[in-house]
Amino acid sequence: MSTFIHHELLLLLWTIAVGAVLLLCYDLLAALRSIFAHSDKAVGVEDILYWLCCAFFVFEEIYRSNEGILRFFMILGFLSGAYICHRSISGIFVKCCTKLMEIPVIIIKFLIKWLLFPVKRCKLLGYKAYKCAKKGRLANWAILRKGRKKRK
């Protein structure tokens, strides 16, 4: 095999791998979205930033690996790598990443609840004391009014 064809074949394999990695990066972003709620604007901004980064990365790869000559098989390589990855491991990757990212979130939620328990408990006790004091004052006021009415 000539070195030129060998170089083109390696370039095709490289673009297939890069297409798969780009799709996995987007899947990572999708897993992050499933953990934390995003507004539509935030999703739009994230998508624009992702696609801009992908465009610059693909341009840099084409420029670096093939001296800036755009070949149609490179575009097919990026697309086929993303398609193969999407059909094979994308779903499993998103589920695993979601489960792994949920672990620190669950731990942080537990720690926040545990650390804020005394504060919430004090608020609850303070509210109960306020209610009792308010009832007591109203009860005393009602007794005093009843006493005044009887004297007349």
Side-chain angles (χ1 to χ4, degrees), residues 80-104:
S80 64
Y83 180 74
I84 291 168
C85 182
H86 177 70
R87 298 297 283 176
S88 60
I89 63 170
S90 181
I92 298 168
F93 183 76
V94 170
K95 286 178 185 176
C96 290
C97 286
T98 303
K99 292 294 182 190
L100 286 175
M101 284 191 253
E102 280 178 349
I103 293 170

Side-chain angles (χ1 to χ4, degrees), residues 13 23 50 64 66 71 97-98 126 134 144-145 151:
L13 293 175
L23 182 76
Y50 171 78
R64 185 183 57 81
N66 207 21
R71 309 264 176 151
C97 286
T98 303
K134 189 175 176 182
L144 290 174
R145 276 192 79 199
R151 290 183 192 164

Side-chain angles (χ1 to χ4, degrees), residues 29 33 39-52:
L29 186 62
R33 286 179 187 158
S39 67
D40 291 338
K41 289 181 182 179
V43 170
V45 169
E46 287 173 354
D47 280 344
I48 289 172
L49 288 175
Y50 171 78
W51 287 111
L52 282 173

Side-chain angles (χ1 to χ4, degrees), residues 129-146:
Y130 171 74
K131 287 281 265 191
C132 288
K134 189 175 176 182
K135 282 182 181 178
R137 275 189 253 136
L138 289 176
N140 289 339
W141 182 74
I143 291 171
L144 290 174
R145 276 192 79 199
K146 285 181 183 177

